Amino acid sequence: MAGMSIVVCLPGSAAGSVDEAVAEAMAPFARDGVGAVEREVWDSFRISGGSAGLPVLAGHQDDPRLIMGRPWWDGTPEPVLPGMCAGGPRGLIDFSDALRARGAEHAGRVWDQWREVASRHPAADDESVFFHRHLAAGGTHASYETSQEAAAYRAQPAVRAWAEIAPALARPDIAAHFSFDGQAIHIGRRGREEYVAKWEFSLLPERNVLTAGGWWYEPGEAPLHGACRTPADCVHAPDVDEGRPGVQSYLLALPADTLLVNVRCHV
C-alpha cells in the first residue's frame, strides 16, 4: 500500500462543513466494496497541508478562510509549514504565475529557434519513417538505436543542426522535456501559441484532482466518474482535458470561491 495526494474541489457553500463535504466527494472511490466505482482507490484519508499541500497566495497567510491540515492518525497535530495550507478558496491559492511565465517564455524561445533552424534546411522526415523502414528490413525495436536507419534520421541536416544547438537551450531548472531527445521536428508542427500553452505549466507540480463534477483524475490513469460504476457505463463528458495543462487550466478557471482541499490518501 502507498500514499497519494489529490485536490478535492468543493463549492464555496461547503466552507462551514469541509470535512463532511470532502467525505461525501471521496465516498464513490472507497475501497473494500464501499465505493460506487469499479476501480476502488483509497482505504483511508485525511485533509493534509505540509510539503504536499497547497501554496498560499502572498499576503494571505493569515486569512481565516484557509484550511489547515487535520491531526495525524495518532492525534498528533500536523506541522504548519510557512506559506502552505491544506486548502481554501481558489482565489487564495498561489498558482505560481512567475513559474508559468518562465516556462512559457522558454518554450517560446525554443519554438523560435527550431523554426529558424528548420528554415535553413530541407524539411526533415519524422523518425517514425526511419523506424518503420528498419522494421521492414527485419530489424527490431531493440536494434533500432544502433541501426543504419537511426543514423540516417540523425544525419538529416535539420536534425543534425538542431543537435548542435539544443544543448545550449537545455535548462535543467525548467524541465526535462527541453532536452528534446531527437524529436525536435515535432516542435514546429504546433503553432507557437499552442506549443507555448502545452509547456506553460511544465514547472508546476503535477497534481491529482477530484473535480466539482465528481471526476477523479490521476496522471496515466483513465478518469473515473463517481456517478458511474465503470467507464463503459459512463456517457458523461470528462470536465478536464488530459495532462498537466488540462488540470491546471481547470483549477485556474474555477470560481474564486471554489474550495480546493488537499487530501492525503492511503491507497
Side-chain angles (χ1 to χ4, degrees), residues 49-104:
S51 59
L54 297 170
V56 180
L57 194 66
H60 295 273
Q61 289 85 351
D62 297 324
D63 195 298
R65 293 173 293 172
L66 293 176
I67 299 166
M68 295 298 106
R70 303 316 190 226
W72 296 98
W73 317 114
D74 62 359
T76 304
E78 181 181 64
V80 179
L81 298 183
M84 301 296 290
C85 68
R90 199 273 304 159
L92 298 183
I93 304 303
D94 186 357
F95 282 92
S96 303
D97 289 345
L99 291 180
R100 289 167 51 207
R102 191 194 310 171

Side-chain angles (χ1 to χ4, degrees), residues 155-249:
Q156 295 180 102
V159 175
R160 188 172 64 246
W162 182 255
E164 293 173 358
I165 69 168
L169 286 168
R171 289 282 300 274
D173 62 318
I174 296 291
H177 67 265
F178 287 122
S179 64
F180 307 118
D181 288 338
Q183 289 299 316
I185 62 174
H186 292 171
I187 295 172
R189 290 187 175 167
R190 292 185 173 91
R192 190 181 194 277
E193 183 176 343
E194 184 183 358
Y195 182 78
V196 168
K198 177 177 175 60
W199 298 115
E200 175 185 1
F201 300 105
S202 59
L203 296 183
L204 303 185
E206 191 165 54
R207 294 191 181 277
N208 307 308
V209 63
L210 174 52
T211 73
W215 286 89
W216 181 289
Y217 290 90
E218 295 177 53
E221 298 282 356
L224 300 174
H225 194 200
C228 302
R229 178 65 181 171
T230 70
D233 297 332
C234 186
V235 297
H236 307 98
D239 49 13
V240 173
D241 293 333
E242 186 177 353
R244 185 188 333 229
V247 169
Q248 293 289 348
S249 296

Side-chain angles (χ1 to χ4, degrees), residues 116-129:
E116 194 278 326
V117 167
S119 71
R120 293 188 278 106
H121 300 284
D125 287 327
D126 189 272
E127 189 168 17
S128 62
V129 173

Side-chain angles (χ1 to χ4, degrees), residues 8-26 47 64-67 70 87-90 210-212 255-261:
V8 179
C9 304
L10 302 172
S13 59
S17 54
V18 171
D19 292 84
E20 294 82 357
V22 167
E24 182 178 353
M26 293 284 288
I47 296 172
R65 293 173 293 172
L66 293 176
I67 299 166
R70 303 316 190 226
R90 199 273 304 159
L210 174 52
T211 73
D257 68 340
T258 301
L259 295 179
L260 306 181
V261 186

